[in-house]
Amino acid sequence: MSKTLPVVGILGGGQLGKMLALAAHPWDLPIHMLDRSPDYPGGPVSTKFFTGDFNNYDDVVAFGQQADILTVEIEHVNTAALKTLKAAGKIVHPDPDILEIIKDKGLQKEFYKKNNLPTADFRLYKDLNDLKAAIDRAEVTYPFVQKSREAGYDGKGVVVIKDAEMIEQCLPGGCVIEPLVPIDKEIAVVVARNADGACQSFEPVEMQFHPTANLVELLFCPAALTAKQASKVSQLARQVIETYQLCGLLAVEFFLTKDGEWLINEVAPRPHNSGHHTINSCVTSQFEQHLRAILNWPLGDTTERQPAAMINLLGADGHTGPVAYEGMETCLGLADCHLHLYGKTQTRPFRKMGHATALADDIATAIEKVRTIKNTLKIVSHAQKES
Ligand code: ADP
């Protein structure tokens, strides 16, 4: 291993950490990871794995001391520890102050409002009683969307409340309330920025959601947008990363409303599900781009070589336990289809276990191929398979 390359420390050893480490391998860049178990996806591909809790101040400080540059694969980390490391001279991207804004949906919404960036109207409430009082005085009217301010991940902190009968489904704790936006399309743009201020975005992707699990199930790139729409949303994503002054990747999720208006939904300051296709379809992957950005190296070419579709591979319903894969060989027989299995040892219903990307000359064919993979590849558990 070259001693001249900086050690990159990643908080989190899940699939995003794994894919970052894989992108670092061709450069021989040392990747250290912190998470609760080396059995997590990042364990086998990291240069060094540290067992600990990225939410624990002491664990993060001890981990950070042996790295040169720190980054995250999840935003819910101990930011106080990252501030200590930054004050001690470590490079930390994304900056802990930005992470604190992004990980609280309420602060995120206030940030957009303050900076005149377009987002759905909103109000903040401190708990359920506070929200119910606002409903009573007709400050909040049905239907509305309620989002937990913190720890929302993959749709678990979001509910749509259509009428008074659904009030018991409201989430406890501090929340953001938004009107139900008439959404035409959900679009994401992954954009990168380095410390020199260079910015580069990937082409907009269009997301389709799983009907029950509320997870992105399928995405395709390029999105079905006019050239004018694509350029507008890319320019907005760039404006968002520049306003945050963030170094690294920022995935910006947008709603295109039925009136043709662009609204920022939320951002993630790290590689994102909506950029997974870039591994197979773009000159530079989002993972390589994140490393380039945090290291202040030249940003890579984001050109998409071919239209792509991507699906998340979820654990089969009714299966919990040690993982097994069925139908893999059939999928590998499909032309220009790429399986990425994360190596999680345990499956459970709807758990994200991997993703698949298909390339084709047109989007419709690429989507058809990922649908075939979805119907063919089953992620089950040994225990239930054998019984
Ligand atoms: P998460 O952090 O869980 O991904 P999001 O804020 O992205 O939460 O919301 C999840 C999904 O809920 C969105 O992708 C969208 O489909 C829907 N949603 C969120 N906010 C609204 C809204 N104001 N109006 C309509 N649908 C919404």
Side-chain angles (χ1 to χ4, degrees), residues 18-27 29 285 287-289 291:
K18 174 177 179 174
M19 291 184 273
L20 278 169
L22 291 175
H25 265 297
W27 295 333
L29 191 65
S285 79
F287 299 97
E288 179 179 332
Q289 194 76 315
L291 296 170

Side-chain angles (χ1 to χ4, degrees), residues 117-227:
L117 291 163
T119 190
D121 284 342
F122 69 99
R123 284 179 184 272
L124 305 181
Y125 296 100
K126 65 178 191 302
D127 55 29
L128 203 47
N129 284 338
D130 197 20
L131 171 61
K132 282 181 177 167
I135 294 171
D136 288 343
R137 61 176 183 272
E139 186 177 284
V140 171
T141 55
Y142 302 106
F144 63 82
V145 180
Q146 186 200 20
K147 304 181 179 186
S148 292
R149 285 186 66 160
E150 296 223 27
Y153 195 61
D154 284 344
K156 289 181 196 99
V158 178
V159 286
V160 177
I161 304 295
K162 294 195 177 119
D163 52 38
E165 280 173 24
M166 290 181 73
I167 198 79
E168 292 318 313
Q169 292 176 32
C170 280
L171 307 163
C175 66
V176 177
I177 299 294
E178 294 178 359
L180 188 66
V181 172
I183 298 173
D184 180 21
K185 288 178 192 298
E186 296 201 36
I187 301 290
V189 177
V190 176
V191 56
R193 182 175 169 277
N194 68 15
D196 286 343
C199 268
Q200 186 79 47
S201 65
F202 290 91
E203 277 198 56
V205 306
E206 187 161 338
M207 301 182 277
Q208 277 176 18
F209 283 78
H210 188 281
T212 51
N214 203 17
L215 283 172
V216 178
E217 184 187 38
L218 186 148
L219 70 74
F220 52 93
C221 183
L225 297 174
T226 63

